[in-house]
Amino acid sequence: YDSKLQLQEDLKWSSAPEVLSNNEAYASLSPKAVVQAYFDAQSKFDWTEMRKFTSEFDVEHTKRQAAEAEKAGLDLHKMMPVFEVGEATWVPEQSAWFVKCHASQTKKWQLAVRKDNPAGRWQVDGGI
């Protein structure tokens, strides 16, 4: 989505998210809690936990970026920004919650999350 919440690229599910053994705990999270958990997993490079909130493509893309940075000699743990999660707003036209995010006081954006899948699980659906 762009900064005016207009769809830029329509993504289609290649497969619905799996139903986790503790699915109720994940499905009952608030949109803000989902985004925070996503960023927490990302900052710890916990790919297994990150997969509970986003697509395999997103996880693999992030892993490649991390591997390239490490190969270049960068210390990723020191470089990871601190993410602050703010207000969540439901946008019915997009069937998604938009959650305002702030990283290291340098960049602000919104991240779309939805749970309109058979598992009733929250999934990160793109950022602005």
Side-chain angles (χ1 to χ4, degrees):
Y1 294 91
D2 65 15
S3 62
K4 296 180 179 140
L5 305 183
Q6 298 303 307
L7 187 65
Q8 288 184 313
E9 182 181 353
D10 194 14
L11 301 175
K12 301 291 182 202
W13 287 94
S14 56
S15 60
E18 67 178 294
V19 177
L20 302 171
S21 58
N22 57 348
N23 197 55
E24 284 300 313
Y26 286 94
S28 64
L29 292 173
S30 72
K32 287 176 62 171
V34 168
V35 173
Q36 188 63 58
Y38 169 79
F39 286 134
D40 290 347
Q42 187 180 54
S43 70
K44 295 175 189 168
F45 307 105
D46 185 344
W47 312 123
T48 302
E49 187 68 10
M50 198 173 156
R51 279 182 181 89
K52 295 175 183 175
F53 301 103
T54 192
S55 67
E56 184 66 24
F57 174 81
D58 186 37
V59 173
E60 291 304 317
H61 178 73
T62 305
K63 281 174 71 173
R64 275 192 306 279
Q65 286 180 318
E68 288 171 13
E70 283 183 334
K71 196 182 268 187
L74 301 173
D75 183 348
L76 294 179
H77 294 283
K78 289 183 180 176
M79 295 183 64
M80 284 301 290
V82 174
F83 293 100
E84 296 174 30
V85 177
E87 166 189 338
T89 305
W90 172 249
V91 180
E93 299 82 23
Q94 310 301 349
S95 186
W97 286 87
F98 286 87
V99 182
K100 291 187 179 186
C101 303
H102 187 247
S104 297
Q105 300 184 9
T106 58
K107 184 174 181 181
K108 293 182 180 183
W109 72 97
Q110 294 191 57
L111 192 66
V113 294
R114 59 177 11 140
K115 66 174 185 176
D116 56 350
N117 55 70
R121 286 243 330 278
W122 287 101
Q123 293 283 293
V124 173
D125 192 33
I128 298 176

